[in-house]
Amino acid sequence: MNPRPPTTPPFPDGANAEPVLEIAGLAYAYPDGHRALSGVDLRIGRGERVALLGPNGAGKTTLVLHLNGIIEAVAGSVRVGGLAVEKANLAEIRRRVGVVFQDPDDQLFMGTVRADVAFGPRNLGVRGAELETRVMQALDQVGMADFADRPPHHLSFGQRRRVAVATVLAMEPEILVLDEPSSNLDPASRRELADVLRALDVTVLMVTHDLPYALELCPRAVVLGEGRVVVDGPTVDVLTDEASMRAHRLELPVGFDPRVVRPNG
Amino acid sequence: MGAAHGHLFHFHAHSPLHRAPAHLKLLALLAFTLTVVATPRGLWWAYAGYALVLASVIALSRVPARYLAPRMLVETPFVVFALLMPVLGHGPFVEIAGLTLSEPGIEAGAALITKGTLGVLASLTFAATTTSTQIIDALARLRVPSLLVEIMSFMLRYLEVVLTEYGRMLIAMRSRGCEPRNPRHWPALARSLGALFIRCYERGERVHVAMLSRGYTGAQSGRMPS
């Protein structure tokens, strides 16, 4: 498989399903003139799990910050569930797009796990019994219900990462965006998080350098290079195309062969 | 480097004082401190009475004296200042053990130490019997402006994160031959504090982005009672 130009229609499953995320011609340059994105096109269908791959500096984080309007699109557009990401819709957009940031200490800032998970839904105006239900449901989904009254800084790193996922699930998002979900996790926590993510019934976009993790969890992979989508296809194909992998500075761990691993996504 | 579960001031126990509502304890502490400060110096029987009240409260709280004693060190600067007062004060002077000391200075110093010790001990008892989360909730209950309460709760939340981060920086510096105790290395230490400030500032921005991502629109969305 050769690197597909960004104009190629995306992976068939994504094109046929009702799109949750539609990015068209998205471009962005930082105030200092550095171009981070130069025409990103991407459609993600409901229920898909997509890995967003690419070397450092490819623009992955910039793209993520466009998805919920933290950075405003200069050129091109982002639509979530048909709704354009723009100032007037920001509250609804931020409900629809749940971003889990890389450092759980940035995401968990309240005194207890419960209060932290309640933060998002409270901002949406949810109160009382419904709030409590949502919080406990979200914590249940990540297997952290027993820790509701603990302060976040007393949890292990893996537990904090899972609580960070719960803080976003409590907002009942249409798409879950994870920035480096497996970074700094020990192998057991990494597997536990994978179990949690697999069990979720939600569209997932996962930014990662952890290619085996992408293969394990995401049937589809998108490679971002120099600010645009340069490869889009089934994760196994993407990871086994050696020429394209080399061209985009992607490397598998030594001895890892995607063809002999059975992805259970 | 702060231990992961280290509580700087809280002493875990089950006592009536631990169970008492935090906002009432906070009001009591405030009332007690104001009363102590407002009592004119020289009314020693009144101070004896305060000390007795405080001692019985401490006994009730089951916080051991050997827990409170080392933490009393926060008072040291005041004690130093109080000890200087007899030396620096004005006349009339008295001669004690060959030193000419100011009589009002002795009186003022003694009053400062007494009031300070009572206040510090009462605050430590409050802190030992109330978790930081309870203190924040108490402030919210007492209608302290929500923006202030929010700032305080952030400070508490990130104190440990920042201390751990600084601990890591110090270890990294030591590993490269810098000894923080050696004054010759203090310039490097100062620069590391600068770096820590920048890191905190950047973390603040990341936390803010994470908050916005979850629909935060400003302080009016408020802290939630836990």
Side-chain angles (χ1 to χ4, degrees), chain A residues 68 94 101 103 105-109 115-116 119 122-123 153-154 167, chain B residues 4 154 157-158 160 203 206-207 210-216 221 224:
Chain A
N68 66 354
R94 284 173 189 170
F101 290 94
D103 185 350
D105 277 328
D106 292 344
Q107 188 132 10
L108 309 176
F109 43 80
D116 222 306
F119 178 82
R122 268 188 79 97
N123 286 332
H153 53 276
H154 286 184
T167 64
Chain B
F154 274 97
R157 166 67 182 87
Y158 286 102
E160 210 166 274
R203 183 183 291 279
R206 290 199 304 273
V207 172
M211 290 172 77
L212 290 177
S213 299
R214 285 200 276 154
Y216 183 79
S221 47
M224 43 244 56

PDB file of all heavy atoms in Angstrom, chain A residues 68 94 101 103 105-109 115-116 119 122-123 153-154 167, chain B residues 4 154 157-158 160 203 206-207 210-216 221 224:
ATOM      1  N   ASN A  68     -12.399  20.555  19.849  1.00  0.00           N
ATOM      2  CA  ASN A  68     -13.392  21.126  20.762  1.00  0.00           C
ATOM      3  C   ASN A  68     -13.271  22.644  20.866  1.00  0.00           C
ATOM      4  O   ASN A  68     -13.732  23.244  21.825  1.00  0.00           O
ATOM      5  CB  ASN A  68     -13.315  20.470  22.139  1.00  0.00           C
ATOM      6  CG  ASN A  68     -12.012  20.769  22.847  1.00  0.00           C
ATOM      7  OD1 ASN A  68     -11.122  21.370  22.274  1.00  0.00           O
ATOM      8  ND2 ASN A  68     -11.920  20.356  24.080  1.00  0.00           N
ATOM      9  N   ARG A  94     -18.324  21.101  23.323  1.00  0.00           N
ATOM     10  CA  ARG A  94     -17.494  20.533  24.394  1.00  0.00           C
ATOM     11  C   ARG A  94     -18.202  19.410  25.125  1.00  0.00           C
ATOM     12  O   ARG A  94     -17.564  18.581  25.769  1.00  0.00           O
ATOM     13  CB  ARG A  94     -17.032  21.641  25.343  1.00  0.00           C
ATOM     14  CG  ARG A  94     -15.931  22.416  24.663  1.00  0.00           C
ATOM     15  CD  ARG A  94     -15.464  23.634  25.352  1.00  0.00           C
ATOM     16  NE  ARG A  94     -14.558  24.337  24.436  1.00  0.00           N
ATOM     17  CZ  ARG A  94     -14.092  25.547  24.630  1.00  0.00           C
ATOM     18  NH1 ARG A  94     -14.422  26.213  25.711  1.00  0.00           N
ATOM     19  NH2 ARG A  94     -13.284  26.090  23.750  1.00  0.00           N
ATOM     20  N   PHE A 101      -6.721  14.397  28.360  1.00  0.00           N
ATOM     21  CA  PHE A 101      -5.371  14.889  28.132  1.00  0.00           C
ATOM     22  C   PHE A 101      -4.338  13.908  28.666  1.00  0.00           C
ATOM     23  O   PHE A 101      -4.632  13.019  29.451  1.00  0.00           O
ATOM     24  CB  PHE A 101      -5.203  16.272  28.751  1.00  0.00           C
ATOM     25  CG  PHE A 101      -5.989  17.314  28.017  1.00  0.00           C
ATOM     26  CD1 PHE A 101      -7.263  17.653  28.433  1.00  0.00           C
ATOM     27  CD2 PHE A 101      -5.482  17.908  26.881  1.00  0.00           C
ATOM     28  CE1 PHE A 101      -8.009  18.590  27.734  1.00  0.00           C
ATOM     29  CE2 PHE A 101      -6.218  18.846  26.180  1.00  0.00           C
ATOM     30  CZ  PHE A 101      -7.483  19.185  26.605  1.00  0.00           C
ATOM     31  N   ASP A 103      -1.617  14.210  30.672  1.00  0.00           N
ATOM     32  CA  ASP A 103      -1.230  14.177  32.078  1.00  0.00           C
ATOM     33  C   ASP A 103      -2.482  14.250  32.949  1.00  0.00           C
ATOM     34  O   ASP A 103      -3.135  15.279  33.010  1.00  0.00           O
ATOM     35  CB  ASP A 103      -0.306  15.361  32.383  1.00  0.00           C
ATOM     36  CG  ASP A 103       0.219  15.305  33.811  1.00  0.00           C
ATOM     37  OD1 ASP A 103      -0.283  14.478  34.591  1.00  0.00           O
ATOM     38  OD2 ASP A 103       1.120  16.086  34.138  1.00  0.00           O
ATOM     39  N   ASP A 105      -2.829  14.685  35.915  1.00  0.00           N
ATOM     40  CA  ASP A 105      -2.766  15.750  36.917  1.00  0.00           C
ATOM     41  C   ASP A 105      -3.259  17.081  36.363  1.00  0.00           C
ATOM     42  O   ASP A 105      -3.609  17.980  37.114  1.00  0.00           O
ATOM     43  CB  ASP A 105      -1.343  15.910  37.456  1.00  0.00           C
ATOM     44  CG  ASP A 105      -1.057  14.904  38.558  1.00  0.00           C
ATOM     45  OD1 ASP A 105      -2.009  14.551  39.287  1.00  0.00           O
ATOM     46  OD2 ASP A 105       0.085  14.458  38.683  1.00  0.00           O
ATOM     47  N   ASP A 106      -3.250  17.222  35.034  1.00  0.00           N
ATOM     48  CA  ASP A 106      -3.809  18.432  34.446  1.00  0.00           C
ATOM     49  C   ASP A 106      -5.327  18.352  34.421  1.00  0.00           C
ATOM     50  O   ASP A 106      -6.017  19.360  34.446  1.00  0.00           O
ATOM     51  CB  ASP A 106      -3.325  18.604  32.996  1.00  0.00           C
ATOM     52  CG  ASP A 106      -1.845  18.893  32.944  1.00  0.00           C
ATOM     53  OD1 ASP A 106      -1.282  19.253  33.992  1.00  0.00           O
ATOM     54  OD2 ASP A 106      -1.253  18.730  31.865  1.00  0.00           O
ATOM     55  N   GLN A 107      -5.831  17.136  34.351  1.00  0.00           N
ATOM     56  CA  GLN A 107      -7.267  16.970  34.163  1.00  0.00           C
ATOM     57  C   GLN A 107      -8.017  16.856  35.486  1.00  0.00           C
ATOM     58  O   GLN A 107      -9.165  17.257  35.585  1.00  0.00           O
ATOM     59  CB  GLN A 107      -7.519  15.708  33.330  1.00  0.00           C
ATOM     60  CG  GLN A 107      -8.959  15.562  32.910  1.00  0.00           C
ATOM     61  CD  GLN A 107      -9.078  15.237  31.441  1.00  0.00           C
ATOM     62  OE1 GLN A 107      -8.104  14.939  30.785  1.00  0.00           O
ATOM     63  NE2 GLN A 107     -10.266  15.302  30.921  1.00  0.00           N
ATOM     64  N   LEU A 108      -7.361  16.307  36.489  1.00  0.00           N
ATOM     65  CA  LEU A 108      -8.027  16.085  37.774  1.00  0.00           C
ATOM     66  C   LEU A 108      -7.593  17.165  38.746  1.00  0.00           C
ATOM     67  O   LEU A 108      -6.470  17.166  39.205  1.00  0.00           O
ATOM     68  CB  LEU A 108      -7.665  14.707  38.327  1.00  0.00           C
ATOM     69  CG  LEU A 108      -7.870  13.553  37.343  1.00  0.00           C
ATOM     70  CD1 LEU A 108      -7.401  12.247  37.957  1.00  0.00           C
ATOM     71  CD2 LEU A 108      -9.328  13.458  36.941  1.00  0.00           C
ATOM     72  N   PHE A 109      -8.485  18.094  39.034  1.00  0.00           N
ATOM     73  CA  PHE A 109      -8.060  19.225  39.867  1.00  0.00           C
ATOM     74  C   PHE A 109      -8.960  19.421  41.072  1.00  0.00           C
ATOM     75  O   PHE A 109      -8.736  20.324  41.852  1.00  0.00           O
ATOM     76  CB  PHE A 109      -8.014  20.506  39.032  1.00  0.00           C
ATOM     77  CG  PHE A 109      -9.194  20.653  38.112  1.00  0.00           C
ATOM     78  CD1 PHE A 109     -10.382  21.109  38.595  1.00  0.00           C
ATOM     79  CD2 PHE A 109      -9.089  20.288  36.783  1.00  0.00           C
ATOM     80  CE1 PHE A 109     -11.465  21.218  37.756  1.00  0.00           C
ATOM     81  CE2 PHE A 109     -10.175  20.408  35.935  1.00  0.00           C
ATOM     82  CZ  PHE A 109     -11.368  20.867  36.423  1.00  0.00           C
ATOM     83  N   ALA A 115     -16.095  14.657  42.923  1.00  0.00           N
ATOM     84  CA  ALA A 115     -16.265  16.066  42.550  1.00  0.00           C
ATOM     85  C   ALA A 115     -15.670  16.322  41.175  1.00  0.00           C
ATOM     86  O   ALA A 115     -16.211  17.098  40.381  1.00  0.00           O
ATOM     87  CB  ALA A 115     -15.611  16.964  43.586  1.00  0.00           C
ATOM     88  N   ASP A 116     -14.569  15.642  40.884  1.00  0.00           N
ATOM     89  CA  ASP A 116     -13.912  15.853  39.606  1.00  0.00           C
ATOM     90  C   ASP A 116     -14.748  15.322  38.448  1.00  0.00           C
ATOM     91  O   ASP A 116     -14.896  15.978  37.418  1.00  0.00           O
ATOM     92  CB  ASP A 116     -12.540  15.168  39.622  1.00  0.00           C
ATOM     93  CG  ASP A 116     -11.506  16.047  38.966  1.00  0.00           C
ATOM     94  OD1 ASP A 116     -11.753  16.448  37.830  1.00  0.00           O
ATOM     95  OD2 ASP A 116     -10.494  16.324  39.609  1.00  0.00           O
ATOM     96  N   PHE A 119     -17.567  17.580  37.679  1.00  0.00           N
ATOM     97  CA  PHE A 119     -17.261  18.922  37.168  1.00  0.00           C
ATOM     98  C   PHE A 119     -17.864  19.183  35.782  1.00  0.00           C
ATOM     99  O   PHE A 119     -18.532  20.195  35.570  1.00  0.00           O
ATOM    100  CB  PHE A 119     -15.736  19.102  37.136  1.00  0.00           C
ATOM    101  CG  PHE A 119     -15.289  20.430  36.594  1.00  0.00           C
ATOM    102  CD1 PHE A 119     -15.267  21.542  37.402  1.00  0.00           C
ATOM    103  CD2 PHE A 119     -14.892  20.555  35.270  1.00  0.00           C
ATOM    104  CE1 PHE A 119     -14.850  22.766  36.908  1.00  0.00           C
ATOM    105  CE2 PHE A 119     -14.473  21.780  34.770  1.00  0.00           C
ATOM    106  CZ  PHE A 119     -14.462  22.881  35.590  1.00  0.00           C
ATOM    107  N   ARG A 122     -21.774  19.145  35.674  1.00  0.00           N
ATOM    108  CA  ARG A 122     -22.271  20.338  36.381  1.00  0.00           C
ATOM    109  C   ARG A 122     -22.204  21.552  35.491  1.00  0.00           C
ATOM    110  O   ARG A 122     -23.105  22.392  35.487  1.00  0.00           O
ATOM    111  CB  ARG A 122     -21.441  20.593  37.640  1.00  0.00           C
ATOM    112  CG  ARG A 122     -21.993  19.958  38.882  1.00  0.00           C
ATOM    113  CD  ARG A 122     -21.214  20.420  40.085  1.00  0.00           C
ATOM    114  NE  ARG A 122     -21.640  21.748  40.498  1.00  0.00           N
ATOM    115  CZ  ARG A 122     -22.524  21.962  41.460  1.00  0.00           C
ATOM    116  NH1 ARG A 122     -23.069  20.937  42.099  1.00  0.00           N
ATOM    117  NH2 ARG A 122     -22.883  23.172  41.783  1.00  0.00           N
ATOM    118  N   ASN A 123     -21.122  21.649  34.730  1.00  0.00           N
ATOM    119  CA  ASN A 123     -21.004  22.780  33.813  1.00  0.00           C
ATOM    120  C   ASN A 123     -22.092  22.731  32.750  1.00  0.00           C
ATOM    121  O   ASN A 123     -22.419  23.739  32.146  1.00  0.00           O
ATOM    122  CB  ASN A 123     -19.625  22.791  33.145  1.00  0.00           C
ATOM    123  CG  ASN A 123     -18.540  23.240  34.106  1.00  0.00           C
ATOM    124  OD1 ASN A 123     -18.807  23.998  35.029  1.00  0.00           O
ATOM    125  ND2 ASN A 123     -17.331  22.755  33.898  1.00  0.00           N
ATOM    126  N   HIS A 153      -4.932  12.722  44.014  1.00  0.00           N
ATOM    127  CA  HIS A 153      -3.481  12.555  44.116  1.00  0.00           C
ATOM    128  C   HIS A 153      -3.097  11.374  44.992  1.00  0.00           C
ATOM    129  O   HIS A 153      -1.927  11.080  45.131  1.00  0.00           O
ATOM    130  CB  HIS A 153      -2.811  13.846  44.577  1.00  0.00           C
ATOM    131  CG  HIS A 153      -3.378  14.427  45.835  1.00  0.00           C
ATOM    132  ND1 HIS A 153      -4.486  15.222  45.823  1.00  0.00           N
ATOM    133  CD2 HIS A 153      -3.011  14.306  47.118  1.00  0.00           C
ATOM    134  CE1 HIS A 153      -4.757  15.582  47.051  1.00  0.00           C
ATOM    135  NE2 HIS A 153      -3.895  15.039  47.872  1.00  0.00           N
ATOM    136  N   HIS A 154      -4.084  10.703  45.582  1.00  0.00           N
ATOM    137  CA  HIS A 154      -3.756   9.490  46.337  1.00  0.00           C
ATOM    138  C   HIS A 154      -3.921   8.228  45.501  1.00  0.00           C
ATOM    139  O   HIS A 154      -3.760   7.122  45.996  1.00  0.00           O
ATOM    140  CB  HIS A 154      -4.627   9.386  47.592  1.00  0.00           C
ATOM    141  CG  HIS A 154      -4.214  10.354  48.657  1.00  0.00           C
ATOM    142  ND1 HIS A 154      -4.791  10.383  49.895  1.00  0.00           N
ATOM    143  CD2 HIS A 154      -3.272  11.323  48.653  1.00  0.00           C
ATOM    144  CE1 HIS A 154      -4.219  11.339  50.615  1.00  0.00           C
ATOM    145  NE2 HIS A 154      -3.308  11.925  49.876  1.00  0.00           N
ATOM    146  N   THR A 167     -14.070  11.324  33.817  1.00  0.00           N
ATOM    147  CA  THR A 167     -14.504  12.725  33.888  1.00  0.00           C
ATOM    148  C   THR A 167     -15.136  13.163  32.569  1.00  0.00           C
ATOM    149  O   THR A 167     -16.004  14.017  32.541  1.00  0.00           O
ATOM    150  CB  THR A 167     -13.325  13.684  34.175  1.00  0.00           C
ATOM    151  OG1 THR A 167     -12.408  13.625  33.087  1.00  0.00           O
ATOM    152  CG2 THR A 167     -12.629  13.346  35.464  1.00  0.00           C
TER     153      THR A 167
ATOM    154  N   ALA B   4       3.561  10.342  49.069  1.00  0.00           N
ATOM    155  CA  ALA B   4       2.298  10.340  48.342  1.00  0.00           C
ATOM    156  C   ALA B   4       1.098  10.505  49.283  1.00  0.00           C
ATOM    157  O   ALA B   4       0.136  11.189  48.978  1.00  0.00           O
ATOM    158  CB  ALA B   4       2.159   9.073  47.543  1.00  0.00           C
ATOM    159  N   PHE B 154      -7.469  24.859  44.421  1.00  0.00           N
ATOM    160  CA  PHE B 154      -6.442  24.543  43.421  1.00  0.00           C
ATOM    161  C   PHE B 154      -5.071  24.473  44.067  1.00  0.00           C
ATOM    162  O   PHE B 154      -4.273  23.598  43.768  1.00  0.00           O
ATOM    163  CB  PHE B 154      -6.424  25.601  42.314  1.00  0.00           C
ATOM    164  CG  PHE B 154      -7.407  25.311  41.238  1.00  0.00           C
ATOM    165  CD1 PHE B 154      -8.648  25.905  41.243  1.00  0.00           C
ATOM    166  CD2 PHE B 154      -7.096  24.425  40.232  1.00  0.00           C
ATOM    167  CE1 PHE B 154      -9.565  25.622  40.269  1.00  0.00           C
ATOM    168  CE2 PHE B 154      -8.007  24.135  39.247  1.00  0.00           C
ATOM    169  CZ  PHE B 154      -9.252  24.741  39.269  1.00  0.00           C
ATOM    170  N   ARG B 157      -4.770  21.273  45.842  1.00  0.00           N
ATOM    171  CA  ARG B 157      -4.694  20.150  44.918  1.00  0.00           C
ATOM    172  C   ARG B 157      -3.290  20.041  44.321  1.00  0.00           C
ATOM    173  O   ARG B 157      -2.768  18.951  44.159  1.00  0.00           O
ATOM    174  CB  ARG B 157      -5.742  20.325  43.820  1.00  0.00           C
ATOM    175  CG  ARG B 157      -5.571  19.435  42.604  1.00  0.00           C
ATOM    176  CD  ARG B 157      -5.791  17.977  42.944  1.00  0.00           C
ATOM    177  NE  ARG B 157      -5.574  17.125  41.792  1.00  0.00           N
ATOM    178  CZ  ARG B 157      -4.407  16.632  41.435  1.00  0.00           C
ATOM    179  NH1 ARG B 157      -3.342  16.912  42.145  1.00  0.00           N
ATOM    180  NH2 ARG B 157      -4.309  15.848  40.374  1.00  0.00           N
ATOM    181  N   TYR B 158      -2.690  21.175  43.988  1.00  0.00           N
ATOM    182  CA  TYR B 158      -1.444  21.113  43.237  1.00  0.00           C
ATOM    183  C   TYR B 158      -0.186  21.259  44.087  1.00  0.00           C
ATOM    184  O   TYR B 158       0.917  21.105  43.589  1.00  0.00           O
ATOM    185  CB  TYR B 158      -1.459  22.135  42.094  1.00  0.00           C
ATOM    186  CG  TYR B 158      -2.361  21.636  40.994  1.00  0.00           C
ATOM    187  CD1 TYR B 158      -3.631  22.132  40.814  1.00  0.00           C
ATOM    188  CD2 TYR B 158      -1.952  20.567  40.198  1.00  0.00           C
ATOM    189  CE1 TYR B 158      -4.474  21.609  39.855  1.00  0.00           C
ATOM    190  CE2 TYR B 158      -2.780  20.048  39.236  1.00  0.00           C
ATOM    191  CZ  TYR B 158      -4.036  20.567  39.064  1.00  0.00           C
ATOM    192  OH  TYR B 158      -4.865  20.039  38.126  1.00  0.00           O
ATOM    193  N   GLU B 160       1.010  19.294  46.306  1.00  0.00           N
ATOM    194  CA  GLU B 160       1.785  18.060  46.329  1.00  0.00           C
ATOM    195  C   GLU B 160       2.422  17.784  44.971  1.00  0.00           C
ATOM    196  O   GLU B 160       3.573  17.350  44.898  1.00  0.00           O
ATOM    197  CB  GLU B 160       0.869  16.901  46.733  1.00  0.00           C
ATOM    198  CG  GLU B 160       1.608  15.814  47.450  1.00  0.00           C
ATOM    199  CD  GLU B 160       0.649  14.861  48.130  1.00  0.00           C
ATOM    200  OE1 GLU B 160       0.259  15.166  49.257  1.00  0.00           O
ATOM    201  OE2 GLU B 160       0.287  13.848  47.526  1.00  0.00           O
ATOM    202  N   ARG B 203       1.629  24.473  33.607  1.00  0.00           N
ATOM    203  CA  ARG B 203       0.637  23.515  34.064  1.00  0.00           C
ATOM    204  C   ARG B 203      -0.701  24.211  34.275  1.00  0.00           C
ATOM    205  O   ARG B 203      -1.755  23.692  33.914  1.00  0.00           O
ATOM    206  CB  ARG B 203       1.068  22.818  35.352  1.00  0.00           C
ATOM    207  CG  ARG B 203       0.061  21.765  35.783  1.00  0.00           C
ATOM    208  CD  ARG B 203       0.425  21.096  37.087  1.00  0.00           C
ATOM    209  NE  ARG B 203       1.594  20.257  36.973  1.00  0.00           N
ATOM    210  CZ  ARG B 203       1.584  19.032  36.488  1.00  0.00           C
ATOM    211  NH1 ARG B 203       0.445  18.504  36.058  1.00  0.00           N
ATOM    212  NH2 ARG B 203       2.671  18.330  36.432  1.00  0.00           N
ATOM    213  N   ARG B 206      -2.398  24.379  31.083  1.00  0.00           N
ATOM    214  CA  ARG B 206      -2.937  23.086  30.643  1.00  0.00           C
ATOM    215  C   ARG B 206      -4.194  22.724  31.426  1.00  0.00           C
ATOM    216  O   ARG B 206      -5.168  22.221  30.860  1.00  0.00           O
ATOM    217  CB  ARG B 206      -1.880  21.987  30.805  1.00  0.00           C
ATOM    218  CG  ARG B 206      -0.713  22.087  29.844  1.00  0.00           C
ATOM    219  CD  ARG B 206       0.030  20.756  29.733  1.00  0.00           C
ATOM    220  NE  ARG B 206       0.484  20.250  31.006  1.00  0.00           N
ATOM    221  CZ  ARG B 206       1.646  20.566  31.573  1.00  0.00           C
ATOM    222  NH1 ARG B 206       2.460  21.406  30.967  1.00  0.00           N
ATOM    223  NH2 ARG B 206       1.986  20.052  32.726  1.00  0.00           N
ATOM    224  N   VAL B 207      -4.167  23.012  32.745  1.00  0.00           N
ATOM    225  CA  VAL B 207      -5.355  22.728  33.553  1.00  0.00           C
ATOM    226  C   VAL B 207      -6.518  23.562  33.042  1.00  0.00           C
ATOM    227  O   VAL B 207      -7.644  23.077  32.925  1.00  0.00           O
ATOM    228  CB  VAL B 207      -5.079  23.025  35.048  1.00  0.00           C
ATOM    229  CG1 VAL B 207      -6.354  22.934  35.858  1.00  0.00           C
ATOM    230  CG2 VAL B 207      -4.035  22.073  35.600  1.00  0.00           C
ATOM    231  N   ALA B 210      -7.919  22.038  30.029  1.00  0.00           N
ATOM    232  CA  ALA B 210      -8.680  20.835  30.381  1.00  0.00           C
ATOM    233  C   ALA B 210     -10.033  21.224  30.960  1.00  0.00           C
ATOM    234  O   ALA B 210     -11.042  20.553  30.719  1.00  0.00           O
ATOM    235  CB  ALA B 210      -7.896  19.989  31.375  1.00  0.00           C
ATOM    236  N   MET B 211     -10.077  22.328  31.726  1.00  0.00           N
ATOM    237  CA  MET B 211     -11.353  22.779  32.298  1.00  0.00           C
ATOM    238  C   MET B 211     -12.281  23.278  31.196  1.00  0.00           C
ATOM    239  O   MET B 211     -13.464  22.943  31.175  1.00  0.00           O
ATOM    240  CB  MET B 211     -11.098  23.897  33.308  1.00  0.00           C
ATOM    241  CG  MET B 211     -10.423  23.424  34.569  1.00  0.00           C
ATOM    242  SD  MET B 211      -9.957  24.801  35.616  1.00  0.00           S
ATOM    243  CE  MET B 211     -11.540  25.216  36.319  1.00  0.00           C
ATOM    244  N   LEU B 212     -11.739  24.093  30.285  1.00  0.00           N
ATOM    245  CA  LEU B 212     -12.555  24.595  29.181  1.00  0.00           C
ATOM    246  C   LEU B 212     -13.122  23.433  28.380  1.00  0.00           C
ATOM    247  O   LEU B 212     -14.268  23.456  27.951  1.00  0.00           O
ATOM    248  CB  LEU B 212     -11.711  25.478  28.259  1.00  0.00           C
ATOM    249  CG  LEU B 212     -11.268  26.827  28.822  1.00  0.00           C
ATOM    250  CD1 LEU B 212     -10.394  27.542  27.809  1.00  0.00           C
ATOM    251  CD2 LEU B 212     -12.481  27.676  29.174  1.00  0.00           C
ATOM    252  N   SER B 213     -12.310  22.379  28.210  1.00  0.00           N
ATOM    253  CA  SER B 213     -12.747  21.231  27.426  1.00  0.00           C
ATOM    254  C   SER B 213     -13.932  20.532  28.075  1.00  0.00           C
ATOM    255  O   SER B 213     -14.641  19.793  27.422  1.00  0.00           O
ATOM    256  CB  SER B 213     -11.606  20.218  27.285  1.00  0.00           C
ATOM    257  OG  SER B 213     -10.536  20.831  26.621  1.00  0.00           O
ATOM    258  N   ARG B 214     -14.090  20.745  29.376  1.00  0.00           N
ATOM    259  CA  ARG B 214     -15.240  20.130  30.030  1.00  0.00           C
ATOM    260  C   ARG B 214     -16.317  21.173  30.314  1.00  0.00           C
ATOM    261  O   ARG B 214     -17.080  21.057  31.274  1.00  0.00           O
ATOM    262  CB  ARG B 214     -14.793  19.436  31.310  1.00  0.00           C
ATOM    263  CG  ARG B 214     -14.062  18.145  30.979  1.00  0.00           C
ATOM    264  CD  ARG B 214     -14.043  17.208  32.150  1.00  0.00           C
ATOM    265  NE  ARG B 214     -12.954  17.502  33.056  1.00  0.00           N
ATOM    266  CZ  ARG B 214     -12.967  17.200  34.344  1.00  0.00           C
ATOM    267  NH1 ARG B 214     -14.025  16.629  34.868  1.00  0.00           N
ATOM    268  NH2 ARG B 214     -11.942  17.475  35.101  1.00  0.00           N
ATOM    269  N   GLY B 215     -16.349  22.195  29.484  1.00  0.00           N
ATOM    270  CA  GLY B 215     -17.483  23.112  29.529  1.00  0.00           C
ATOM    271  C   GLY B 215     -17.394  24.195  30.579  1.00  0.00           C
ATOM    272  O   GLY B 215     -18.386  24.857  30.872  1.00  0.00           O
ATOM    273  N   TYR B 216     -16.212  24.418  31.154  1.00  0.00           N
ATOM    274  CA  TYR B 216     -16.062  25.475  32.159  1.00  0.00           C
ATOM    275  C   TYR B 216     -16.198  26.828  31.492  1.00  0.00           C
ATOM    276  O   TYR B 216     -15.638  27.071  30.427  1.00  0.00           O
ATOM    277  CB  TYR B 216     -14.689  25.350  32.807  1.00  0.00           C
ATOM    278  CG  TYR B 216     -14.416  26.332  33.920  1.00  0.00           C
ATOM    279  CD1 TYR B 216     -14.940  26.120  35.188  1.00  0.00           C
ATOM    280  CD2 TYR B 216     -13.606  27.437  33.713  1.00  0.00           C
ATOM    281  CE1 TYR B 216     -14.670  26.994  36.218  1.00  0.00           C
ATOM    282  CE2 TYR B 216     -13.325  28.317  34.741  1.00  0.00           C
ATOM    283  CZ  TYR B 216     -13.862  28.102  35.986  1.00  0.00           C
ATOM    284  OH  TYR B 216     -13.577  28.960  37.005  1.00  0.00           O
ATOM    285  N   SER B 221     -19.662  28.975  37.541  1.00  0.00           N
ATOM    286  CA  SER B 221     -20.161  27.593  37.533  1.00  0.00           C
ATOM    287  C   SER B 221     -19.831  26.914  38.852  1.00  0.00           C
ATOM    288  O   SER B 221     -20.339  25.840  39.152  1.00  0.00           O
ATOM    289  CB  SER B 221     -19.594  26.814  36.343  1.00  0.00           C
ATOM    290  OG  SER B 221     -18.220  27.011  36.228  1.00  0.00           O
ATOM    291  N   MET B 224     -18.113  22.538  43.626  1.00  0.00           N
ATOM    292  CA  MET B 224     -19.196  21.682  44.058  1.00  0.00           C
ATOM    293  C   MET B 224     -18.911  21.156  45.454  1.00  0.00           C
ATOM    294  O   MET B 224     -17.787  20.763  45.742  1.00  0.00           O
ATOM    295  CB  MET B 224     -19.376  20.513  43.091  1.00  0.00           C
ATOM    296  CG  MET B 224     -18.081  19.915  42.681  1.00  0.00           C
ATOM    297  SD  MET B 224     -17.757  20.107  40.948  1.00  0.00           S
ATOM    298  CE  MET B 224     -17.856  21.821  40.676  1.00  0.00           C
TER     299      MET B 224
END
